């Protein structure tokens, strides 16, 4: 009896290994190996392009990024600033739209598809062409037609902040499709009985948002925060990604490009650790006691 039981367990284990084998092989070949090779390449320099001859330079590539390269640090700071500004705007806008779409309105399915459509057509060449055409710079500001007197009244510092926020809203609108769907899933997972009980106790919509909605979708907020950060730092139009790619394949400085890539990767990795650590006490998981 024991032998048959062990044999059945072994068959289940073997079946499990067979099912995960394609993923494991693909991960090892297309993710793990390139990752390890890029780390090894970051400590070398290509000296012979034809034969791909490498020369050990130690920490030279990392020293070049922080000390010798005059473009890396300013570009890195600019990319971080863009992510810091865009991420809250994307989260607030997507949550606002998700709350509106969660109500029973006519054409709700159409609006959901309309907000998700830019995710399909705006992630590659189409989005690049829009950016090259000037969309996302001052398109929205000119379309609104904000008078110059308004910016003069606000002062140079605050008016520049408002102008920057308005000028980047066009691109931000294109990057909220996934976040809206995730927020919708989280909102629909909240039991309607909680709102009915709150209304019986005289709670307003504003109070229910802060006391019920926001705490219960806090895991979705964290998920969207992580997704938005990663998407912002790894976007195809990210200037740091473009700079690393041009360094590797145009200038044929693959060792230096690998060094910059690892600096960039470690920064994103540490940033996500900080995000998880700082929001751990703010996230409410309904399954926990």
């Amino acid at each position: 009896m024991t032998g048959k039981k062990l044999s059945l367990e072994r068959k289940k284990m073997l079946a499990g290994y067979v099912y995960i084998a394609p993923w494991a092989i693909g991960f090892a070949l297309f993710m793990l190996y390139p990752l390890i090779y890029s780390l090894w390449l970051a400590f070398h320099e290509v000296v012979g392009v034809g034969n791909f001859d490498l020369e050990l330079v130690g920490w030279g590539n990392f020293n070049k990024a922080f000390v010798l390269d005059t473009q890396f640090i300013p570009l890195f700071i600019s990319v971080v600033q863009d992510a810091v500004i865009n991420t809250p705007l994307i989260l607030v806008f997507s949550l606002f739209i998700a709350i509106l779409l969660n109500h029973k309105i006519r054409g709700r399915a159409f609006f959901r598809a309309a907000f998700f459509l830019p995710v399909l057509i705006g992630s590659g060449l189409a989005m690049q062409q829009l950016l090259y055409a000037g969309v996302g710079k001052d398109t929205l500001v000119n379309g609104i037609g904000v008078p110059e007197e308004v910016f003069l009244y606000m002062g140079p510092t605050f008016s520049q902040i408002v102008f920057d926020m308005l000028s980047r809203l066009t691109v931000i609108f294109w990057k909220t499709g996934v976040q809206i769907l995730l927020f919708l899933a989280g909102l629909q997972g909240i039991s309607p009985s909680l709102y009915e009980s709150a209304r019986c106790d005289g709670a307003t919509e504003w109070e229910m948002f802060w006391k019920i909605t926001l705490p219960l979708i806090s895991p979705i907020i964290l998920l969207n925060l992580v997704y938005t950060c990663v998407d912002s730092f790894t976007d195809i139009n990210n200037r740091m990604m473009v700079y690393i790619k041009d360094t590797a394949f145009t200038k044929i400085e693959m060792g230096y490009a690998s060094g910059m890539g690892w600096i960039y990767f470690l920064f994103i990795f540490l940033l996500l650790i900080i995000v998880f650590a700082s929001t751990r006490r703010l996230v409410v998981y309904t399954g926990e006691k």
Side-chain angles (χ1 to χ4, degrees):
M1 188 72 175
T2 306
K4 293 183 179 180
K5 184 177 180 180
L6 291 176
S7 177
L8 181 60
E9 291 179 354
R10 290 176 180 174
K11 289 181 179 179
K12 291 181 178 179
M13 291 177 59
L14 181 60
Y17 290 140
V18 170
Y19 279 114
I20 67 172
W23 175 87
I25 296 173
F27 177 80
L29 291 178
F30 303 109
M31 184 66 184
L32 186 60
Y33 173 73
L35 193 66
I36 297 175
Y37 186 76
S38 68
L39 179 60
W40 180 78
L41 194 62
F43 294 93
H44 293 76
E45 181 182 357
V46 179
V47 293
V49 179
N51 299 324
F52 204 73
D53 297 328
L54 300 176
E55 179 183 348
L56 181 65
V57 295
W59 296 94
N61 289 323
F62 299 95
N63 181 69
K64 180 180 179 180
F66 288 108
V67 179
L68 302 178
D69 192 347
T70 58
Q71 300 183 45
F72 178 75
I73 297 297
L75 188 59
F76 187 87
I77 294 175
S78 177
V79 168
V80 173
Q81 288 177 343
D82 288 341
V84 170
I85 296 174
N86 290 347
T87 299
L89 294 175
I90 291 174
L91 292 179
V92 172
F93 177 76
S94 57
L95 178 59
F96 175 74
I97 297 300
I99 292 175
L100 292 180
L101 294 179
N102 193 45
H103 290 80
K104 295 181 179 180
I105 58 175
R106 291 184 178 180
R108 182 169 57 175
F110 168 77
F111 288 111
R112 290 180 181 179
F115 279 106
F116 189 74
L117 187 61
V119 178
L120 302 178
I121 64 175
S123 58
L125 182 61
M127 192 60 182
Q128 284 184 332
Q129 296 301 320
L130 285 173
L131 292 175
Y132 293 154
V135 175
K137 295 180 180 178
D138 54 356
T139 306
L140 186 63
V141 180
N142 294 335
I144 295 176
V146 180
E148 295 183 0
E149 291 77 8
V150 175
F151 291 107
L152 294 175
Y153 177 77
M154 292 186 295
T157 302
F158 187 71
S159 62
Q160 184 63 37
I161 296 175
V162 174
F163 185 86
D164 291 340
M165 291 179 62
L166 290 176
S167 63
R168 68 179 67 234
L169 284 181
T170 305
V171 178
I172 288 175
F173 291 161
W174 282 66
K175 292 182 173 291
T176 56
V178 175
Q179 291 87 339
I180 290 174
L181 289 182
L182 291 174
F183 275 132
L184 272 173
L187 292 171
Q188 292 175 359
I190 301 176
S191 176
S193 60
L194 296 176
Y195 295 105
E196 294 175 0
S197 300
R199 290 190 184 94
C200 292
D201 292 335
T204 62
E205 294 292 332
W206 185 249
E207 291 173 337
M208 287 189 292
F209 171 77
W210 286 102
K211 300 297 184 180
I212 299 177
T213 304
L214 200 61
L216 292 182
I217 64 169
S218 56
I220 307 298
I221 296 177
L222 177 59
L223 175 62
N224 274 333
L225 175 60
V226 172
Y227 172 82
T228 306
C229 287
V230 174
D231 181 64
S232 176
F233 284 118
T234 60
D235 186 73
I236 189 174
N237 301 301
N238 186 291
R239 288 168 292 172
M240 179 58 70
M241 299 290 291
V242 173
Y243 183 62
I244 294 174
K245 182 186 69 174
D246 291 341
T247 302
F249 300 106
T250 302
K251 300 179 181 179
I252 317 299
E253 298 179 8
M254 295 186 179
Y256 179 50
S258 298
M260 290 191 296
W262 270 95
I263 294 173
Y264 195 51
F265 166 75
L266 291 176
F267 171 79
I268 299 173
F269 184 73
L270 291 176
L271 178 63
L272 294 181
I273 291 178
I274 295 173
V275 169
F276 277 104
S278 59
T279 58
R280 182 175 57 181
R281 296 183 179 180
L282 301 176
V283 178
V284 177
Y285 295 101
T286 55
E288 296 181 351
K289 294 183 179 180

